[in-house]
Amino acid sequence: MFNKRIKIKTLLAQDPESYREQEVTVMGWVRTFRNNQFIALNDGSTNTNLQVVAELGKFDESLLKRITTSASLKVTGAIVASLGKGQTMELKAASIEILGDSDAEVYPLQPKKHSLEFLREKAHLRFRTNTFASVFRTRHALAFAVHKFFNDKGFVYLHTPIVTASDAEGAGEMFRVTTLPFENTPRNEDGSVNFKEDFFGRSTNLTVSGQLEGELGATAFGEIYTFGPTFRAENSNTARHLAEFWMIEPEMAFYDLEDNANLAEEFIKYIIRYVLENNREDLDFLATRLAEEEKQLPQDKRSEMGLIEKLEFVINNEFQRLTYTEAIDILANSNHNKKKKFQYPITGWGMDLQSEHERYLVEKHFKKPVILTDYPAGIKSFYMRLNEDGKTVAAMDILAPGIGEIVGGSQREERLDVLLEKMKAMNIPMEEMWWYVDTRRFGTVPHAGFGLGFERMIQFVTGMSNIRDVIAFPRTPKSAEF
Ligand code: ATP
Ligand code: MN
């Protein structure tokens, strides 16, 4: 058997005494090799390298020459207590096998600090850096926590389709899915493309959200969630937009807006607590990284709290809840607005909030996560439930410090007549949406749900300021390498 190895994380967690005289095998990649004697070996299980000692004179010069940065090794030997600083144990190598050479002349990553921008160009290798290893182990832990949270509550994980025919959701620009040829494209008499000739016999797109299908699940199982990729062809080159991102969308029958907000707050706190308890080493590393990065910033641009402190603050304090109408009042009366410091001035009730407004509320005014509810019907989607006042809908957005919108959700319009009227007014084609409307015809119930952008959540938890650094292979305008 080849893979009779112990992971470095497992090894380091043990008392070195328990390994006395025992032979272990580790495998991993060389981070550094000092004095022709000390190998820092990393196997991806932790950022802490295992020190492997190749005693002087014991190994051939030709072998030692091949121990270069990122070469892969299989090392067998005895664990001994270490005298070195910051490590409890080291491995005294009895045998070293080179599994794969790495030419130091051309290996792009040096054992020094690289910028995040540089590493984005080397995304195929960036997992081998401490920062990205910590980010992606944290991403994994958060994903696991998402499933655990919903599973433990009895939600059904529903896999909604990636290819969809409806373009009614209106969440963003869509990518078209087609097998039609670019040349001699089949056309109708009026010159438009004849999608009857296309693969699915109609025009199809990549999904922008699993919500509409999620509602079909919720109105049978009671509570479902989706967790999958979504796509938006929006040409926004920001640090918080991707063309391909992952979204978590729970959808619950017998929930109103308040139940929805309660669930979202509980969920966010749960997954943060989960990583604080289970991924502390990586979070501590990322906290230190962030603190160092912020040292470069002018005083007023630095965060008031460290990363861990911020996460603990979020799980230990209630989110601020207020209505859109109250938010407009706060914004309109703020000194920031009076001094004309917003790029988009507050023009009054009915306007859509820009991210600068959201950030003002969260970062300057409340200094904590905010749940904004009850938006004007005119700026929100057709499926959101009309409130008693006839002009607002039971929508909610959750805004997080440093990120802005992290959750968008609502109570859904369950009243058939109100929904049909709304669809007509907003030009939502019935031919495409008949199946959705059927849920309101056959045993309709009050229900609600929300969508959490997974990468924005990871940004919040890891302190990474660019969304491209929390997804393995970012898809953004003009960029789909790797
Ligand atoms: P924004 O105003 O920030 O573009 P949105 O209103 O388009 O967001 P929704 O349609 O409500 O967002 O999507 C639900 C969630 O998905 C958002 O709260 C956000 O966390 C995430 N999200 C939306 N668009 C993107 C994107 N392009 N890249 C990454 N995450 C996104
Ligand atoms: Mn958007």
Side-chain angles (χ1 to χ4, degrees), residues 227-271:
F227 186 177
T230 49
F231 306 85
R232 299 198 184 170
E234 47 197 9
N235 205 353
S236 39
N237 250 313
T238 76
R240 34 182 223 111
H241 284 94
L242 291 163
E244 175 179 314
F245 65 99
W246 287 64
M247 190 144 59
I248 296 139
E249 295 181 280
E251 194 66 41
M252 299 75 61
F254 321 116
Y255 269 55
D256 66 11
L257 187 67
E258 191 184 348
D259 300 319
N260 200 23
N262 290 345
L263 182 79
E265 182 168 343
E266 184 190 346
F267 169 56
I268 290 171
K269 288 177 171 172
Y270 177 93
I271 61 177

Side-chain angles (χ1 to χ4, degrees), residues 130-151:
N130 284 339
T131 296
F132 286 94
S134 284
V135 166
F136 286 97
R137 280 189 298 260
T138 305
R139 182 180 170 117
H140 158 77
L142 282 167
F144 182 77
V146 167
H147 287 299
K148 183 159 170 48
F149 177 82
F150 289 117
N151 178 68

Side-chain angles (χ1 to χ4, degrees), residues 10 40 67 120 140 146 157 173 208 215 233 239 243 252 279 315 327 329 335 338 437 444 468:
T10 314
I67 303 177
R120 241 170 260 152
H140 158 77
V146 167
Y157 178 26
E173 293 295 305
V208 292
E215 286 185 51
M252 299 75 61
N279 231 46
I315 61 175
D329 274 350
N335 278 333
K338 287 177 181 157
V437 176
T444 192
R468 293 165 180 78

Side-chain angles (χ1 to χ4, degrees), residues 8 12 34 37-41 48-54 79-80 82-85 87 89-93:
I8 291 173
L12 293 174
R34 283 188 300 120
Q37 206 179 349
F38 303 109
I39 306 165
L41 196 72
T48 314
N49 301 321
L50 178 68
Q51 170 145 297
V52 174
V53 184
I79 291 294
V80 294
S82 172
L83 303 173
K85 254 202 328 206
Q87 57 200 21
M89 61 174 78
E90 58 192 28
L91 180 65
K92 211 168 121 191

Side-chain angles (χ1 to χ4, degrees), residues 277-290:
E277 285 170 3
N278 293 280
N279 231 46
R280 192 50 184 256
E281 194 187 313
D282 285 320
L283 289 182
D284 283 337
F285 178 86
L286 292 165
T288 308
R289 189 208 70 83
L290 182 63

